[in-house]
Amino acid sequence: MNEFADLLSRAERVLERLEALLPGPLRAPDWAAATAFRWQRRHGRSELRPVRQPHRIALKDLHDVDEQKARIDRNTRQFLAGRRANNVLLTGARGTGKSSLVKALLNEYEARGLRLIEVDKADLVDLPDIVDLLAGRPERFILFCDDLSFEEGEDAYKALKSVLDGSVSALSDNVLVYATSNRRHLMPEYHDENLQARHLDGEVHPGEAVEEKISLSERFGLWVSFYPFTQDQYLDIVAHWLKAFGVPKKTIVAARQEALQWALMRGSRSGRVAWQFARDHAGRLEDEGRGR
């Protein structure tokens, strides 16, 4: 009898350990703790974790993307007002402000109930669970997928495609997906896929492989393209950030040549490179001022 009781006790302890390892029911976060959240998996459990210090950037700080900014801002304001709005795919050259623009929207509209939830590509399979968690909330949520691209057959690709359009359950009225990518079609494209194209009555019809790759990006109602900056645009952004960092106007003009050399070494005249140069230049000026 004692042996049976001991066996039963050990079995109960094993079950308790197993329960600790198994994923439990999803719990809502403290919505008042933050305006930005990150979906994270840890030890088999998924949860929304508050971002205590979100990246603070203002819409006015994003220069030379006025057309793109206006389109996304208008779509977001429609969403906040409860009117019809689209999921957004921001594509194009690296460092041109795609991600910064989405973060700036939170900074601009958090007081009106906008909330941002960052979801990594690997966690997109959890999108249905996330959408269920947000259903019925009074806030308006943007699910933010940054630097998105897929390889053939990834589960995350299928999950995103299903949630955007095609699943039995639709996105809640208070949820939109904003994604950034360097690829318009979100998947690598190969030369031999173009050989599958067919000609029918004078029209070109893409092959099945190309059609499949296009089908995901077509589920985003709004496409916004970003292009490499010209030299003048790059210098304009450099000047803006130097001014924001408190560099005198005369010094900003004198820094133009050095800013161009910096871009040449980086192989890019992007907004990100301009911001990095301005930080470095302003920091060195501060250091020189302390050394005097």
Side-chain angles (χ1 to χ4, degrees):
M1 188 69 177
N2 289 336
E3 291 180 359
F4 178 75
D6 183 56
L7 179 63
L8 189 61
S9 177
R10 280 187 289 171
E12 288 176 349
R13 289 197 297 270
V14 170
L15 287 173
E16 287 174 359
R17 291 174 184 171
L18 285 174
E19 286 178 354
L21 294 174
L22 291 173
L26 289 177
R27 292 180 301 177
D30 178 4
W31 295 111
T35 57
F37 298 84
R38 184 177 290 112
W39 182 258
Q40 287 187 336
R41 283 188 186 184
R42 287 188 176 179
H43 309 299
R45 296 174 182 266
S46 299
E47 63 178 339
L48 277 177
R49 297 181 64 86
V51 177
R52 305 292 181 181
Q53 294 181 314
H55 182 195
R56 292 294 182 183
I57 184 168
L59 284 173
K60 63 181 178 59
D61 286 326
L62 299 173
H63 283 222
D64 298 292
V65 288
D66 293 344
E67 181 182 348
Q68 296 92 328
K69 184 162 53 174
R71 294 181 66 195
I72 297 171
D73 183 56
R74 180 173 63 247
N75 187 73
T76 305
R77 284 188 282 105
Q78 289 171 201
F79 175 54
L80 289 170
R83 300 195 296 271
R84 301 184 192 279
N86 279 305
N87 300 304
V88 182
L89 178 60
L90 301 84
T91 66
R94 67 185 191 275
T96 47
K98 301 185 295 294
S99 302
S100 295
L101 181 47
V102 178
K103 296 169 187 174
L105 291 170
L106 176 65
N107 192 49
E108 185 78 11
Y109 296 119
E110 61 185 8
R112 292 176 55 181
L114 185 64
R115 299 293 182 264
L116 191 66
I117 297 177
E118 186 173 8
V119 184
D120 289 338
K121 182 182 76 169
D123 295 330
L124 288 174
V125 292
D126 295 332
L127 276 180
D129 293 332
I130 300 173
V131 172
D132 286 346
L133 192 61
L134 306 180
R137 292 292 309 173
E139 302 90 351
R140 315 294 282 180
F141 295 94
I142 289 177
L143 301 183
F144 177 40
C145 308
D146 195 22
D147 198 18
L148 201 57
S149 65
F150 298 100
E151 299 300 328
E152 299 284 352
E154 287 192 58
D155 291 338
Y157 170 87
K158 298 173 184 176
L160 179 58
K161 183 177 176 182
S162 177
V163 164
L164 288 176
D165 183 20
S167 173
V168 173
S169 60
L171 280 175
S172 303
D173 290 339
N174 66 337
V175 178
L176 285 180
V177 176
Y178 282 20
T180 71
S181 179
N182 294 330
R183 295 172 175 168
R184 168 63 68 88
H185 294 146
L186 302 176
M187 295 181 72
E189 299 177 55
Y190 303 104
H191 174 71
D192 60 354
E193 292 171 347
N194 294 322
L195 302 179
Q196 302 172 15
R198 297 173 291 107
H199 292 266
L200 185 64
D201 296 331
E203 295 183 348
V204 177
H205 294 261
E208 290 184 4
V210 175
E211 286 279 11
E212 173 64 20
K213 292 179 178 181
I214 294 173
S215 67
L216 176 57
S217 56
E218 281 191 338
R219 281 167 163 76
F220 288 90
L222 184 60
W223 287 5
V224 182
S225 299
F226 290 71
Y227 306 99
F229 291 128
T230 65
Q231 178 173 297
D232 287 342
Q233 288 173 327
Y234 167 74
L235 290 173
D236 174 62
I237 298 170
V238 166
H240 168 77
W241 284 117
L242 286 174
K243 182 180 178 181
F245 296 150
V247 176
K249 184 176 180 179
K250 184 164 55 174
T251 307
I252 292 174
V253 174
R256 289 170 60 92
Q257 190 60 39
E258 189 177 344
L260 292 175
Q261 292 172 351
W262 179 282
L264 187 62
M265 288 189 295
R266 296 294 300 272
S268 171
R269 287 196 301 255
S270 70
R272 181 184 297 128
V273 169
W275 180 76
Q276 290 167 344
F277 167 77
R279 283 178 62 87
D280 177 80
H281 194 74
R284 284 189 284 114
L285 289 175
E286 291 171 1
D287 190 52
E288 291 169 5
R290 283 195 297 267
R292 290 195 185 103

